[in-house]
Amino acid sequence: MNTYLFVYDLMQFCGHSWIFTNMIIRFMSFGKDSLADTFYSLGFVMRLCQLLSVLEILHILIGIDKSCLFPRVLQITERIIVLFVVINSQEEVQGKYIVCILFFLWNVLDVVRYTYNMLARMGIYYLPLTWLNFSLCILLYPLSVLAKALAICVSLPYFESFGTYSMKLLFPFAFSIYFPYILKAYLLVLFIGKYLIFQQAVFQHNLDAYGNNKKIRSVKILSQTLTLCHIS
């Protein structure tokens, strides 16, 4: 199982590092023009990586991964909702700069996280990488939450105009589902849930990462107790 998890982390690392590298090269080559077609050029690989990440929930459920279930489920479902429901369904949103920003934040966090995971599978705990893994999210976490919220806000006029996912149900009761209202309610849930988890993540980070970092043994403790810091 450890070998399987290593291969999984390696596949995710290759996918996210490929996206991240291409984003940098495209920006250096084409400048701002590359930002508008980020989704068209890299969206397929990003969708593939996010679909593959659903396996992480299974890993926790069957016990081969000791990460906390709720934070991981929250992270994966939020990314899938934003990527597949919000961005993928509205072609007008796909060319917005916020999509490029969101991809950049996700890939920076995931490249570091999967690198740390691969080394941890082999019993290698490099202290600077450990610190970066559990500290980078504290810096980029609020930005990723804001980017998700902005992506949803940008998409709202298009959902209202085109009526995507809005429907009228006649059976068993006659009522309408207006999808923009659902997205607005989801924004509130997003910020409340993220705030509570972020508070707990910061507490765990300060308690474990800085309180025990004088011993190599504490690095192994971090891999189990600071999983909450990975929510993006």
Side-chain angles (χ1 to χ4, degrees):
M1 286 302 176
N2 196 54
T3 302
Y4 161 75
L5 291 176
F6 176 85
V7 173
Y8 168 81
D9 291 331
L10 178 61
M11 292 175 61
Q12 287 282 26
F13 169 79
C14 291
H16 287 289
S17 61
W18 182 87
I19 297 173
F20 181 76
T21 303
N22 273 271
M23 290 182 66
I24 299 299
I25 294 176
R26 285 169 52 81
F27 181 76
M28 295 177 62
S29 301
F30 305 107
K32 293 184 179 180
D33 293 338
S34 65
L35 302 181
D37 64 344
T38 296
F39 184 85
Y40 303 104
S41 303
L42 309 175
F44 174 77
V45 180
M46 175 61 78
R47 294 195 295 270
L48 186 62
C49 289
Q50 297 307 318
L51 285 176
L52 189 62
S53 67
V54 176
L55 290 175
E56 296 181 21
I57 300 177
L58 179 62
H59 297 163
I60 299 174
L61 290 175
I62 64 179
I64 62 176
D65 190 342
K66 303 304 179 182
S67 302
C68 297
L69 179 62
F70 175 71
R72 184 63 66 224
V73 170
L74 185 62
Q75 176 197 15
I76 293 173
T77 53
E78 285 177 354
R79 289 191 177 188
I80 288 178
I81 290 174
V82 173
L83 182 60
F84 287 91
V85 178
V86 175
I87 299 176
N88 190 63
S89 65
Q90 299 296 335
E91 186 175 355
E92 291 78 7
V93 179
Q94 297 170 8
K96 303 295 185 181
Y97 288 167
I98 189 61
V99 175
C100 181
I101 296 173
L102 195 59
F103 278 24
F104 180 81
L105 293 174
W106 285 355
N107 283 283
V108 169
L109 291 169
D110 285 343
V111 166
V112 175
R113 179 163 70 94
Y114 287 114
T115 301
Y116 170 82
N117 287 346
M118 284 190 297
L119 294 178
R121 307 294 182 198
M122 299 184 294
I124 301 174
Y125 296 92
Y126 186 51
L127 285 178
L129 179 61
T130 302
W131 175 87
L132 181 63
N133 181 50
F134 293 117
S135 299
L136 188 63
C137 61
I138 302 298
L139 176 63
L140 298 184
Y141 181 84
L143 296 178
S144 66
V145 175
L146 182 60
K148 292 176 187 177
L150 288 176
I152 294 176
C153 291
V154 168
S155 69
L156 283 175
Y158 301 104
F159 280 105
E160 294 173 351
S161 300
F162 302 134
T164 309
Y165 301 132
S166 297
M167 62 188 72
K168 292 182 179 180
L169 300 179
L170 302 178
F171 181 85
F173 303 103
F175 67 96
S176 299
I177 298 178
Y178 190 55
F179 193 70
Y181 287 162
I182 297 177
L183 286 180
K184 292 176 182 178
Y186 177 73
L187 279 175
L188 181 61
V189 175
L190 174 68
F191 280 105
I192 293 177
K194 287 294 188 179
Y195 174 78
L196 295 176
I197 293 179
F198 183 68
Q199 290 290 93
Q200 186 175 1
V202 173
F203 173 78
Q204 290 287 353
H205 181 273
N206 293 335
L207 180 65
D208 295 310
Y210 295 105
N212 301 318
N213 63 357
K214 293 183 179 180
K215 297 181 180 180
I216 300 298
R217 177 175 55 86
S218 67
V219 180
K220 297 181 180 180
I221 298 176
L222 290 176
S223 63
Q224 299 178 357
T225 60
L226 299 182
T227 307
L228 293 177
C229 290
H230 294 307
I231 305 304
S232 62

